[in-house]
């Protein structure tokens, strides 16, 4: 049973988050990535739509992830 718990907590612990905090962050990122991906597909068909949506989403998500790593780093 301890092995099963480790499967769910090892990675969140490695980024200094609880399981539920990690679930929330990952879900938030995933939703935004899905939206950005759909916008990219539409942009491919209609180049005049969503001209900055994908690049802005990537930049924002990267900034949030790296900022969180610094903020959550052990002192």
């Amino acid at each position: 049973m301890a092995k099963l718990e480790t499967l769910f907590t090892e990675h969140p612990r490695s980024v200094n988050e609880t399981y539920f905090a990690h679930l929330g962050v990952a879900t938030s990122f995933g939703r935004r990535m899905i939206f950005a991906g759909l916008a990219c597909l539409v942009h491919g068909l209609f180049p005049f739509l969503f001209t900055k949506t994908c690049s802005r989403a990537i930049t924002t998500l990267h900034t949030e992830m790296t900022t969180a790593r610094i903020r959550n780093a052990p002192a």
Side-chain angles (χ1 to χ4, degrees):
M1 195 63 155
K3 175 67 174 159
L4 184 60
E5 181 181 338
T6 301
L7 289 173
F8 285 91
T9 59
E10 184 175 21
H11 172 66
R13 195 174 294 133
S14 76
V15 292
N16 293 308
E17 293 176 342
T18 65
Y19 170 79
F20 290 105
H22 188 268
L23 175 64
V25 171
T27 300
S28 171
F29 272 60
R31 279 193 316 248
R32 292 185 285 167
M33 290 171 70
I34 289 168
F35 172 75
L38 291 172
C40 288
L41 292 172
V42 171
H43 173 71
L45 293 170
F46 304 101
F48 51 89
L49 296 175
F50 303 113
T51 58
K52 296 189 188 304
T53 302
C54 298
S55 57
R56 191 178 320 121
I58 291 167
T59 301
T60 300
L61 291 171
H62 178 264
T63 300
E64 286 181 26
M65 187 177 289
T66 55
T67 301
R69 285 182 190 154
I70 292 167
R71 183 179 58 244
N72 291 340

